[in-house]
Amino acid sequence: MVSQIMIHSLRCFLKATAATVLAGFIVVPVLADQTEKPNVILIMTDDQGYGDVSAHGSPVLKTPEIDKLHASSVRFADFHVAPMCTPTRGQLMTGIDAMRNGATAVCRGRSMVRREFKMMPQYFAEAGYATGLFGKWHLGDSYPHRPRFRGFQEVLSFRAWGLTSLADHWDNHTDPYLDPVLMHNGVDKKYSGYCTDIFFAEAMKWMEQCADQKKPFFLYLPTNTPHVPDIVPGKYSRPYVGKYKGKPIPHVFYGMIANIDENIGKLEALLKERGLRDNTILIFLSDNGTQSRDASNLYSAGMRDKKTSVFEGGHRVPLFVRWLDGNLQHGSDIAELTTVQDLLPTLMELCGLEGDPSVLDGTSLASLLEGTRQTLPDRMVVNQYKSSCQKWNSAVVMQGKWRLIGGNELYNIADDPHQDRNVYEQFPEIARGMNAHYDQWFAEARPEFEKPRHIIIGSREANPVILYASDWQGGYCDNTTNLKKADTVGYWDLMVDRAGTYELELRRWPKESGKTFTEGFEGPANKDSTARPIVVANVQVADGNYTLDVADGSTHATFNIKLPKGKVKLRTALLDARERTLCSAMYVDVKRLEDSASATLTPVSGREPQGRVAAAPKTKKTRPRNE
């Protein structure tokens, strides 16, 4: 079977030597050696909308370096991602729709891609590339879902949605974007500086090492900015303080983008200095629409709504692609409907990566980039996300300039870019066709969505493992607010790799905090609602129920339990004096004891949780930080 690399090389050869072939002779192409493979840099910003680029018409924000990249790239004017970060990231890495790969939401067990789907860095690693991630992952924080187990050889990242998330290192809750604790290849380490500067600087050091070793590299650089919390050094935000035509300018949000822009300029300078610019495929995009309501109100490029919305402003984002040695149609705009699932098959074709693109949901855009094709075959694309993924929650079907939302709202964005006029009744045949497509797609995708994604415990590759509430199935528990309230319950789907005795340490606060079960967020003297009267801990797993009293001043409760090999559900509960459930354990350290002979097993108990503590009265609803 002819390899993808040979097909790609032959295609490039035939285009380059067409005149020679016509002259009457053919030369057999020689495959490029490994050093001639194009490098790939994939920059994805977090919560930067289509209108948050000055080249797209923003009247206030200045992004000179991004604008230079825009000018020298192929630009996609109708490119779509999911309306929220995790689904976009899973689709980017796998080329598979979020409903099929399983990662449809930011928490509640839905931020993990099913293991059977191969990820982008694995393709590159198999082709001899060095692979590096510097920035946000948000596709699982326990084995085997961490990036080092999904193809990335060098990783500088953090847990969950960002700095100050529930799973993040405790030290980052004070001043998260300055001097943060980050994970370098799985080990927490303190860094100096502003987070975005750190990710770019460390990525560039790694690129130089790859260049020195004559090693082609795939760099994934997904910034955690301009996501909330809105924090940036004042020199970037001060120029934007004030109003524009009476509307408030989101000066810190724009300042974070200005900082990204400056770092892209530094990256460009390095590429030129090291002679890497021409043979590097540089891709720039964002993971969803803008997070800033003020930014959306000030300038949205004519689109409706923002992040989390299935209207256009929630999921149409910038996409710029540049590869000077690839003879792409630089400086041109592509109006075809394209999606984030298209990037993996595109890179497979451009870089000659081995694999079967027919199993992916995306379509290669290589021919559009190279100018050998001006249009794609007519296609309908379904964009659906959220943890429940019930029918039409939340979903949009796209075909050309048509958008079907909720099954009963139809918009033509060519005539109505802001999606103000529902023309469902005027175009019933188009609506029926798009509804029929969605019904068929949903019938095929929903069974894939329902397949579980397991965290593996007790493996030789990763023992111990920490379980985080952000990865459980159950109540929403992903932010500092959820951690403070401590009133949510959930369970984890686990795969026990090896039967044996397992030590489970249940905690309310992260281990590095040193905080006790009962103390509040601000410390032992804190007596507000963040202090919880936890005096009993409970574990239910593998048909066993285990209950322990918690000593005063305890930071954790330890259970030693024999577990069989295979699938189990782990449920935990932290109880008050009446043995009512206050919440589940927010963190569980799980370790298979290699020498279990000396371990005292926790006895099975007849004491079970006696219902839930009544929820506190609801206050004014606030938007979770990661939405």
Side-chain angles (χ1 to χ4, degrees):
M1 184 175 178
V2 179
S3 73
Q4 292 285 332
I5 295 176
M6 293 181 66
I7 292 172
H8 173 71
S9 298
L10 180 59
R11 178 166 52 82
C12 293
F13 165 78
L14 291 175
K15 287 195 295 181
T17 58
T20 305
V21 172
L22 290 173
F25 61 91
I26 299 176
V27 179
V28 177
V30 178
L31 289 178
D33 66 32
Q34 185 162 293
T35 61
E36 294 175 329
K37 293 177 180 178
N39 303 305
V40 178
I41 299 175
L42 181 53
I43 301 172
M44 183 162 69
T45 59
D46 195 356
D47 288 1
Q48 180 179 5
Y50 189 92
D52 300 328
V53 176
S54 55
H56 285 168
S58 175
V60 176
L61 178 63
K62 304 301 178 188
T63 54
E65 299 299 332
I66 296 175
D67 292 355
K68 291 176 188 175
L69 179 60
H70 172 275
S72 62
S73 298
V74 183
R75 290 91 57 153
F76 287 78
D78 197 10
F79 176 76
H80 297 263
V81 294
M84 186 178 274
C85 54
T86 286
T88 291
R89 293 162 201 277
Q91 292 173 146
L92 172 68
M93 289 289 107
T94 64
I96 302 290
D97 290 345
M99 280 274 284
R100 286 184 55 206
N101 71 45
T104 59
V106 296
C107 62
R108 305 177 85 171
R110 281 293 165 189
S111 64
M112 297 175 287
V113 170
R114 284 172 30 218
R115 288 185 70 203
E116 56 264 40
F117 290 115
K118 191 173 178 179
M119 287 198 170
M120 187 180 288
Q122 293 171 292
Y123 289 95
F124 278 102
E126 290 172 2
Y129 278 74
T131 58
L133 162 66
F134 295 82
K136 180 172 175 173
W137 175 241
H138 207 181
L139 291 172
D141 292 308
S142 303
Y143 180 75
H145 302 285
R146 281 187 175 183
R148 290 191 305 128
F149 302 113
R150 302 308 296 263
F152 283 108
Q153 300 149 1
E154 183 73 12
V155 176
L156 182 63
S157 189
F158 47 80
R159 291 176 283 277
W161 62 262
L163 305 179
T164 74
S165 71
L166 180 143
D168 190 30
H169 195 280
W170 181 254
D171 289 354
N172 290 337
H173 283 80
T174 53
D175 202 357
Y177 283 10
L178 298 171
D179 302 334
V181 175
L182 303 171
M183 280 194 309
H184 180 230
N185 293 334
V187 178
D188 287 333
K189 177 182 174 182
K190 185 81 168 177
Y191 284 79
S192 297
Y194 182 66
C195 55
T196 309
D197 297 337
I198 294 168
F199 288 127
F200 270 86
E202 294 298 318
M204 289 189 285
K205 288 179 188 176
W206 177 78
M207 286 167 47
E208 291 200 89
Q209 293 170 3
C210 295
D212 291 341
Q213 298 168 5
K214 307 293 185 185
K215 183 89 168 175
F217 59 80
F218 166 60
L219 168 61
Y220 181 35
L221 215 172
T223 66
N224 61 306
T225 54
H227 193 292
V228 296
D230 290 348
I231 300 171
V232 74
K235 68 176 183 177
Y236 300 103
S237 59
R238 278 192 294 271
Y240 297 106
V241 173
K243 294 185 176 182
Y244 175 77
K245 294 186 176 179
K247 296 180 180 179
I249 299 172
H251 61 283
V252 181
F253 175 72
Y254 279 176
M256 290 191 285
I257 296 174
N259 172 264
I260 293 170
D261 188 76
E262 179 180 275
N263 277 289
I264 288 176
K266 293 177 181 178
L267 176 64
E268 280 281 83
L270 177 68
L271 292 175
K272 291 177 182 177
E273 177 187 332
R274 294 302 302 260
L276 299 171
R277 186 172 184 263
D278 292 355
N279 198 35
T280 294
I281 301 173
L282 180 56
I283 300 173
F284 174 87
L285 72 156
S286 177
D287 65 343
N288 46 243
T290 187
Q291 60 99 335
S292 170
R293 177 63 66 187
D294 285 342
S296 178
N297 290 338
L298 196 152
Y299 180 75
S300 65
M303 293 184 288
R304 178 174 171 178
D305 228 328
K306 57 188 280 293
K307 177 181 179 179
T308 74
S309 172
V310 289
F311 286 103
E312 206 78 349
H315 49 86
R316 180 153 69 93
V317 300
L319 174 64
F320 312 147
V321 181
R322 188 188 71 197
W323 180 22
L324 300 178
D325 279 355
N327 296 315
L328 308 185
Q329 301 300 297
H330 300 108
S332 66
D333 295 300
I334 292 176
E336 290 293 283
L337 173 67
T338 53
T339 78
V340 69
Q341 295 96 301
D342 298 333
L343 290 180
L344 177 55
T346 300
L347 288 172
M348 289 173 67
E349 183 171 357
L350 292 177
C351 300
L353 307 180
E354 293 284 355
D356 181 6
S358 68
V359 302
L360 307 180
D361 291 321
T363 297
S364 174
L365 308 177
S367 59
L368 295 179
L369 289 164
E370 295 165 339
T372 58
R373 174 185 285 180
Q374 303 304 313
T375 61
L376 293 174
D378 187 43
R379 66 194 307 206
M380 287 195 205
V381 175
V382 179
N383 197 341
Q384 181 160 1
Y385 80 108
K386 288 198 174 177
S387 57
S388 64
C389 281
Q390 297 297 322
K391 204 164 187 181
W392 286 110
N393 181 33
S394 287
V396 55
V397 182
M398 300 177 284
Q399 181 182 29
K401 298 304 178 182
W402 295 101
R403 304 290 185 263
L404 181 67
I405 295 175
N408 57 7
E409 295 181 40
L410 183 67
Y411 300 93
N412 182 340
I413 63 168
D415 298 333
D416 177 26
H418 198 257
Q419 295 174 281
D420 296 317
R421 300 186 299 277
N422 179 5
V423 294
Y424 186 91
E425 298 296 335
Q426 292 94 309
F427 297 93
E429 291 186 9
I430 291 173
R432 277 196 297 270
M434 296 179 79
N435 264 304
H437 177 85
Y438 175 79
D439 288 344
Q440 180 179 347
W441 176 89
F442 187 86
E444 295 171 355
R446 180 69 195 193
E448 298 295 305
F449 167 85
E450 292 171 350
K451 293 180 179 179
R453 292 128 351 272
H454 292 91
I455 294 171
I456 298 177
I457 60 172
S459 71
R460 290 182 174 85
E461 292 80 9
N463 185 44
V465 166
I466 303 176
L467 308 178
Y468 300 95
S470 48
D471 281 338
W472 74 29
Q473 296 189 60
Y476 192 106
C477 197
D478 200 24
N479 300 291
T480 303
T481 300
N482 308 127
L483 180 59
K484 289 179 178 180
K485 291 176 68 175
D487 63 355
T488 314
V489 298
Y491 69 89
W492 290 275
D493 275 324
L494 305 180
M495 179 75 71
V496 180
D497 187 68
R498 295 178 290 159
T501 300
Y502 282 77
E503 178 186 85
L504 282 67
E505 290 186 352
L506 276 59
R507 302 177 188 275
R508 184 219 162 160
W509 302 103
K511 185 176 184 177
E512 67 272 12
S513 73
K515 295 173 73 64
T516 68
F517 275 118
T518 57
E519 70 178 279
F521 185 77
E522 300 296 338
N526 180 239
K527 300 300 183 183
D528 67 13
S529 61
T530 67
R532 304 290 273 156
I534 296 167
V535 296
V536 180
N538 173 266
V539 168
Q540 296 181 10
V541 63
D543 298 323
N545 178 79
Y546 308 86
T547 301
L548 292 175
D549 293 319
V550 175
D552 187 41
S554 296
T555 61
H556 61 280
T558 303
F559 296 76
N560 292 328
I561 301 172
K562 281 192 175 294
L563 294 178
K565 178 182 173 68
K567 300 174 183 177
V568 298
K569 291 186 186 298
L570 173 64
R571 290 180 169 86
T572 67
L574 303 180
L575 315 175
D576 67 6
R578 294 168 60 184
E579 301 199 355
R580 300 173 302 175
T581 299
L582 294 162
C583 61
S584 294
M586 304 290 183
Y587 311 85
V588 181
D589 290 55
V590 182
K591 179 170 65 175
R592 184 183 187 275
L593 301 177
E594 302 300 341
D595 179 15
S596 60
S598 60
T600 301
L601 293 178
T602 304
V604 174
S605 172
R607 297 163 60 190
E608 295 187 7
Q610 301 300 304
R612 293 279 301 277
V613 173
K618 288 188 176 182
T619 57
K620 183 179 179 181
K621 186 175 180 180
T622 58
R623 177 173 60 93
R625 276 186 164 182
N626 64 334
E627 289 193 350

